[in-house]
Amino acid sequence: NDGKNIRLPVPDVTEERRKELAKLAGKYAEAARIAILNVRRDGMEMLKADENKKEISEDERKRAEGDVQKLTDEMIKAADEAASHKEKEILTQ
């Protein structure tokens, strides 16, 4: 403590701790994939409910389901890429 700043020595991260952190990043990525799939499921259910209420046609539902699936695939790919990048970053430092 020099009056304005507090200095704390932080030891370097060990290889074992890096592996634990990489595994934790993988768990967060899996949680993100599950959340994305839950949103997809909810969207699909809403489309089917709209079709049953005669608010949209079957063709519109199928087109919208394709759009929802495309967005789902893009978001899962983005989550996987982010997790992969973070795991590499953690393991190479």
Side-chain angles (χ1 to χ4, degrees), residues 31-62:
R33 282 190 291 273
I34 290 170
I36 291 166
L37 292 174
N38 286 339
V39 170
R40 176 193 172 274
R41 184 195 63 228
D42 293 343
M44 294 294 196
E45 288 174 359
M46 287 174 22
L47 288 170
K48 288 177 184 176
D50 287 347
E51 182 188 11
N52 289 338
K53 289 188 272 183
K54 306 292 185 201
E55 292 179 4
I56 62 173
S57 69
E58 182 180 354
D59 291 339
E60 289 174 311
R61 178 186 57 86
K62 287 184 180 184

Side-chain angles (χ1 to χ4, degrees), residues 49-91:
D50 287 347
E51 182 188 11
N52 289 338
K53 289 188 272 183
K54 306 292 185 201
E55 292 179 4
I56 62 173
S57 69
E58 182 180 354
D59 291 339
E60 289 174 311
R61 178 186 57 86
K62 287 184 180 184
R63 181 192 48 76
E65 284 179 349
D67 293 343
V68 169
Q69 184 61 47
K70 191 181 301 183
L71 279 171
T72 301
D73 293 341
E74 289 174 12
M75 292 300 106
I76 288 177
K77 181 179 177 186
D80 288 342
E81 288 174 355
S84 174
H85 175 52
K86 186 50 78 175
E87 287 175 2
K88 285 180 187 175
E89 183 180 320
I90 290 169
L91 293 174

Side-chain angles (χ1 to χ4, degrees), residues 22-36:
K23 188 184 285 187
L24 185 61
K27 287 182 183 180
Y28 282 125
E30 182 62 26
R33 282 190 291 273
I34 290 170
I36 291 166

